[in-house]
Amino acid sequence: MIFDIQFVKSSDITPSQANQLASLNAECFGDVPTIERTDNFIAEPFGYLLATIGETLVSRTALFKRDLVFTSTKIVVGGIGGVCVARDYRHHGIASSMVKRAITVLQKESCDVACLSVDITKKVFKLYEKLGFKLMEREFSFENVRGDIVRESGTMFIALDSPEKYDLIMNSKETFHYGRGCW
């Protein structure tokens, strides 16, 4: 299957792309309760990877970047959020290609590490492991839309520009805090 992946800054998303993103999001994330989407997934991406076949959007991935301080160490964290592939196009390597490309973009953005949140009860969790991500064995936290601190499990990391900062995050006993909004 031949598909094209392009990076688009959030500010450059066209109305047509926005409509296709909304349809794809509904298909891929329709099982996520609305309150979780509106309260927790509020982080603003700096861009998207869009996979198309012809004029049809078949996959999307949101990209995030944050400067955080963790255990007194400044860390530039790249986030990969909402990897989704339209039902009819799954199992053709699109998701793997999207995540690989996301890693490349985040490396160009000088991120020390990349992370993503996963539902470990779903099969896609194994895809991220095959690509080099490792599950953090403790909870992470983030601030939701109301300012509440939410604690969850299911975040995975991969080292990009700093294996040392990756090791710090993965081996610490401290809760890793994303900041405002989960991705």
Side-chain angles (χ1 to χ4, degrees):
M1 180 167 293
I2 298 173
F3 52 92
D4 180 52
I5 299 175
Q6 70 177 23
F7 171 76
V8 181
K9 290 182 181 177
S10 294
S11 58
D12 294 339
I13 293 289
T14 68
S16 174
Q17 289 169 327
N19 287 337
Q20 288 188 69
L21 280 168
S23 294
L24 191 57
N25 287 340
E27 178 182 338
C28 293
F29 304 113
D31 64 331
V32 177
T34 301
I35 194 155
E36 187 173 338
R37 287 182 301 200
T38 59
D39 284 10
N40 297 343
F41 296 102
I42 57 171
E44 291 295 324
F46 69 85
Y48 290 90
L49 292 176
L50 305 177
T52 55
I53 296 176
E55 297 295 316
T56 304
L57 179 66
V58 298
S59 181
R60 60 77 92 188
T61 300
L63 300 175
F64 304 86
K65 181 179 175 183
R66 290 188 180 160
D67 294 329
L68 302 175
V69 176
F70 179 69
T71 66
S72 302
T73 302
K74 182 182 174 206
I75 301 175
V76 181
V77 178
I80 301 171
V83 178
C84 78
V85 178
R87 217 170 270 110
D88 293 343
Y89 297 93
R90 293 177 185 165
H91 309 291
H92 293 286
I94 297 172
S96 294
S97 294
M98 294 289 278
V99 174
K100 289 175 186 175
R101 180 75 173 273
I103 290 168
T104 299
V105 171
L106 295 174
Q107 285 174 315
K108 287 179 182 175
E109 289 286 323
S110 301
C111 295
D112 297 313
V113 298
C115 66
L116 48 82
S117 296
V118 296
D119 180 344
I120 59 174
T121 65
K122 294 185 178 180
K123 290 188 277 186
V124 73
F125 167 70
K126 296 293 183 188
L127 164 76
Y128 303 126
E129 283 184 326
K130 288 179 186 173
L131 295 173
F133 284 84
K134 184 176 177 190
L135 183 66
M136 188 171 65
E137 297 293 331
R138 62 187 193 284
E139 289 184 333
F140 68 97
S141 66
F142 61 91
E143 180 182 340
N144 71 11
V145 73
R146 291 183 305 283
D148 299 329
I149 301 300
V150 178
R151 295 183 185 281
E152 293 185 355
S153 58
T155 195
M156 300 181 84
F157 285 88
I158 190 171
L160 298 178
D161 287 346
S162 180
E164 300 81 15
K165 291 178 181 180
Y166 168 83
D167 288 341
L168 173 67
I169 292 167
M170 297 303 281
N171 296 318
S172 175
K173 301 227 184 286
E174 299 290 321
T175 300
F176 185 82
H177 184 73
Y178 274 25
R180 184 165 166 78
C182 192
W183 49 64

